[in-house]
Amino acid sequence: MRIKLSPQRRDDVLVISKTGDALRVNGLLFDFSQMAAGDTLPRAAIKSEWFAGNVDRLTDELVVTLLLPNPWNYSPEQAFPADLVRVPDGEVLLPRALPNPDGTQAPVSAPDFAEDVGIIDWSQLITAEMKAAAAQADRLAESKAQLAARNTTAAVQIDRITDRIETLGYGIEAGEATPEDEAEQATLMISLKAWKAYKFALGKVTAQTTWPTAPVWPAEPAIPEIEAAPMLVADEEI
């Protein structure tokens, strides 16, 4: 077990003892043994003022955060407490205050707390499976958003290129197009084919075995420059 300590200026007393995955905090017993690896118990589920954060079961240890009361003569070890690691069973030794002005050390006198079972709302437990499901849902939403954005870009380019090809075609049909116009249309036809192939490939992404965790996106074609239909119109008036 790892116990993290969060210092707080207060004059009351904290007494902790440990038995396995259970902590007795000022007389109240909180047993976390039913937590599996990867589980998180939110702070709000623990009915005690002394818990200062969630309880997490990592792969090989339970991590608990408790408030550490700092008296008026708190020591640097109390103000900046180190984590208590590999805490053994029995009384948990906490950092002590500085000596009194006369050099004597104030005796540690803990109240005789009545022993009882602390309240834990286990319905709030977040299991490793729940976390994995939430992460999967987030990844699916992210991949869907990326797919939608790529499809939108492809559709915009296809419409843009198609419009320019048709416009050039009007001039060719009327016999008014220049050789440069004909060359531009031929180049844009190649670009249009590439963008249509790209959009078709996007429609196959969700069939990949790696979807939605690690989709392999098709390479996006180059966006052609069309002077008559620029992507952005500069606003020269600020």
Side-chain angles (χ1 to χ4, degrees), residues 1 7 34 57 86 94 113 137 147 153 165 180 192 234-235:
M1 179 183 291
Q34 64 179 282
R57 169 82 74 181
R86 294 185 292 277
L94 300 174
F113 294 106
L147 179 58
T153 298
I165 289 173
E180 288 79 10
L192 179 62
D235 185 2

Side-chain angles (χ1 to χ4, degrees), residues 182-197:
E182 294 180 0
E184 181 185 357
Q185 187 192 59
T187 299
L188 289 175
M189 290 290 290
I190 297 173
S191 181
L192 179 62
K193 182 178 180 180
W195 276 101
K196 286 182 175 181

Side-chain angles (χ1 to χ4, degrees), residues 29-200:
L29 182 66
F30 297 91
D31 189 351
F32 304 105
S33 58
Q34 64 179 282
M35 292 180 64
D39 291 356
T40 294
L41 187 67
R43 162 67 188 88
I46 308 169
K47 307 306 178 185
S48 170
E49 65 173 315
W50 292 103
F51 286 83
N54 299 339
V55 175
D56 293 291
R57 169 82 74 181
L58 304 182
T59 303
D60 56 356
E61 72 175 346
L62 194 71
V63 180
V64 180
T65 303
L66 297 171
L67 290 178
L68 177 66
N70 279 196
W72 65 270
N73 59 334
Y74 59 83
S75 64
E77 292 76 17
Q78 288 178 317
F80 305 99
D83 290 356
L84 307 179
V85 297
R86 294 185 292 277
V87 180
D89 286 355
E91 181 183 355
V92 177
L93 300 180
L94 300 174
R96 297 191 62 183
L98 293 173
N100 293 322
D102 61 4
T104 62
Q105 184 74 48
V108 178
S109 56
D112 187 14
F113 294 106
E115 295 189 354
D116 201 351
V117 176
I119 299 174
I120 297 176
D121 182 3
W122 288 105
S123 68
Q124 298 187 44
L125 180 68
I126 304 171
T127 65
E129 292 76 14
M130 293 165 65
K131 292 180 183 179
Q136 182 73 359
D138 289 345
R139 189 68 186 100
L140 176 60
E142 180 184 347
S143 293
K144 283 184 174 180
Q146 288 191 45
L147 179 58
R150 291 167 187 266
N151 268 312
T152 297
T153 298
V156 167
Q157 291 307 316
I158 290 171
D159 289 346
R160 175 172 171 264
I161 297 168
T162 299
D163 180 73
R164 180 58 178 167
I165 289 173
E166 290 178 352
T167 299
L168 292 168
Y170 299 152
I172 293 172
E173 290 174 5
E176 297 180 2
T178 64
E180 288 79 10
D181 293 332
E182 294 180 0
E184 181 185 357
Q185 187 192 59
T187 299
L188 289 175
M189 290 290 290
I190 297 173
S191 181
L192 179 62
K193 182 178 180 180
W195 276 101
K196 286 182 175 181
Y198 172 67
K199 197 169 190 313
F200 176 76

